[in-house]
Amino acid sequence: MTAVTTADPTDAYAGYLDHLADADEYAAIDMAIGLLDAGVPAERVLLDLVAPAQAEVGERWARNEWSVAQEHAATHISEQVVAAVTGHVNPRPTGGRVVVACMDGEWHALPPRLVAEVLRLRGWQVTFLGASVPAAHLVSYLHRYDVHAVALACALPMRLPYAHRMIEACRRSDVPVLVGGRGFGVDGRWARQLGVAWAPDAPSAAELISDERALLRVPPAWLAHLADDEYASLVRRRGELIDSAVADLRDGVPATRAYTAAQLDATVSDLGHILDFLAAAVYVDDASLFTEFVEWLSGILLTRGVPATAIARPFEHYAVAMRDFPRAERVLALGRAALPAADRRPAR
Ligand code: B12
């Protein structure tokens, strides 16, 4: 068993990351259980060790230092650690039932799993439904039980329009809704826009769930701008826009003609993400959703050797197609302004 020389998860962090890097599940679990045995509360092991380590896993993937396989291995180990920690403590419920689920199309199940386990540790009877739960299935599930609250997770802002539909569906079942995850913005501003209670982290989620009046005290959604139908039109034209952007890339960036099937798949996926983030920004009427995404995407692509001119090309193509959509056109223009200068070399 790995000796834990410190009873502070923050001090154990570097060693834990090494275990993730080595894909050493046993050492990672031993370290977490060692902290529990040294008197560290389980909640701190989950939130001060596992959570920041997973954020670092994401940074290493983004910097192209870790492959997708290394990220998957590390995430699997973190999931095993979460199970081992809560299994070790084995909390028994004293409170009502809380259902925790990911939005439809959302595969980041570990962040809400951490929230679910913290709620469990605090006495709630938690049902964790995991990744991508279709709205209709979630609603029929809620009807079968006496549910105190439902907590919905969204890690990617491009899923916000779906999130909104799901929130509304839960509300129609008269179950109080709470949301969280990076997808609602670091300060939860897009949750406020959608008129739903938001918590920045697991402890705040637990406090909110204990205060039913606070959970229900939310301002109405502010989505009057959707009357212009721009969001719906963008969604309708998604496939056609991606096809024409691929054709335009082949014309304008000859290197893309030699792309392998895998490279082409990744390109189509990126072209779709650009439109999905644009549509989500139009949905919540906030250009910062799109500009933040453009900065993130440019960083990812430059690190992987994609030239700045090739990154900019689809944005120019989409800009021409947005001429009849004033809000989308404005958001796209701000996104283009956030693109890297064409002479910037890929980071090494
Ligand atoms: C593991 C991982 C995956 C795994 C998820 C597996 C799993 N079982 O969860 C897989 C491989 C599926 C995946 C896929 C993708 N991922 Co990913 N992923 C991650 C990674 C590395 C870790 C996630 C995690 O566990 N985080 C740890 C927790 C603790 O994070 P947290 O958000 O801070 O959570 C706290 C609060 O936000 C809050 N909270 C979170 N959820 C909830 C829910 C509720 C109800 C409440 C109240 C609070 C709350 O409480 C938490 C604890 O205090 C993150 C990096 C990161 N920084 O998170 C990227 C990351 C989120 N992924 C990213 C991307 C881009 C993707 C993909 C699009 C990649 C691709 N090209 O396919 C896909 C999208 C899949 C989809 N449609 O959902 C980007 C998102 C960037 C952006 N612009 O939005 C990130 C940030 C990586 C990066 N650095 O660029 N991913």
Side-chain angles (χ1 to χ4, degrees):
M1 174 170 173
T2 308
V4 174
T5 51
T6 171
D8 186 342
T10 321
D11 294 338
Y13 173 74
Y16 182 78
L17 263 173
D18 287 343
H19 297 325
L20 295 188
D22 296 340
D24 192 342
E25 179 173 336
Y26 305 101
I29 291 175
D30 284 349
M31 179 177 262
I33 302 299
L35 286 168
L36 295 181
D37 290 343
V40 178
E43 188 168 316
R44 286 200 58 208
V45 177
L46 298 179
L47 299 181
D48 298 345
L49 185 68
V50 179
Q54 279 299 113
E56 176 58 21
V57 168
E59 292 310 308
R60 291 181 184 189
W61 168 80
R63 291 195 299 265
N64 210 17
E65 291 167 13
W66 278 19
S67 68
V68 169
Q70 283 171 296
E71 172 277 307
H72 282 12
T75 302
H76 169 73
I77 293 173
S78 288
E79 280 168 347
Q80 296 293 85
V81 168
V82 173
V85 166
T86 42
H88 195 74
V89 179
N90 195 16
R92 297 288 149 167
T94 50
R97 186 189 292 267
V98 177
V99 171
V100 181
C102 287
M103 304 288 180
D104 206 352
E106 174 61 71
W107 292 98
H108 294 93
L110 185 52
R113 169 91 191 274
L114 290 169
V115 175
E117 298 308 343
V118 167
L119 294 176
R120 212 190 300 279
L121 288 164
R122 292 191 180 205
W124 293 100
Q125 181 181 355
V126 179
T127 305
F128 181 62
L129 301 183
S132 189
V133 184
H137 293 254
L138 175 63
V139 167
S140 72
Y141 191 85
L142 294 178
H143 284 148
R144 291 172 57 190
Y145 297 99
D146 180 20
V147 177
H148 173 79
V150 59
L152 298 177
C154 176
L156 301 173
M158 69 175 178
R159 309 297 304 172
L160 283 173
Y162 297 83
H164 186 221
R165 253 168 268 156
M166 207 147 170
I167 292 161
E168 291 300 311
C170 292
R171 288 243 173 86
R172 284 194 290 276
S173 312
D174 267 342
V175 180
V177 187
L178 160 75
V179 298
R182 319 165 40 101
F184 292 97
V186 277
D187 53 1
R189 59 191 188 279
W190 300 317
R192 278 193 295 283
Q193 185 93 17
L194 299 183
V196 63
W198 168 83
D201 51 31
S204 324
E207 275 164 39
L208 202 49
I209 286 174
S210 305
D211 182 352
E212 205 172 342
R213 284 173 64 189
L215 197 55
L216 296 171
R217 199 171 46 229
V218 279
W222 178 245
L223 296 167
H225 49 268
L226 290 179
D228 65 11
D229 220 31
E230 283 201 24
Y231 169 76
S233 307
L234 274 175
V235 172
R236 259 197 313 274
R237 293 182 57 200
R238 185 180 188 276
E240 161 220 325
L241 286 168
I242 294 174
D243 288 348
S244 63
V246 171
D248 176 68
L249 260 182
R250 284 174 180 267
D251 275 357
V253 185
T256 59
R257 286 179 220 151
Y259 270 9
T260 61
Q263 284 174 310
L264 192 60
D265 268 1
T267 305
V268 168
S269 159
D270 288 338
L271 293 171
H273 281 166
I274 296 172
L275 288 176
D276 294 339
F277 273 87
L278 176 64
V282 166
Y283 196 90
V284 295
D285 201 31
D286 185 346
S288 74
L289 187 158
F290 190 63
T291 52
E292 282 172 21
F293 160 74
V294 172
E295 283 161 13
W296 169 83
L297 181 70
S298 309
I300 296 280
L301 295 177
L302 284 171
T303 314
R304 283 152 178 79
V306 178
T309 40
I311 299 173
R313 181 106 192 170
F315 288 83
E316 285 153 24
H317 177 78
Y318 287 150
V320 176
M322 291 308 139
R323 292 244 165 91
D324 293 333
F325 303 97
R327 278 198 308 123
E329 192 179 25
R330 187 183 62 84
V331 172
L332 198 57
L334 291 167
R336 289 171 71 198
L339 283 166
D343 56 358
R344 199 169 133 196
R345 294 275 166 266
R348 297 256 162 237

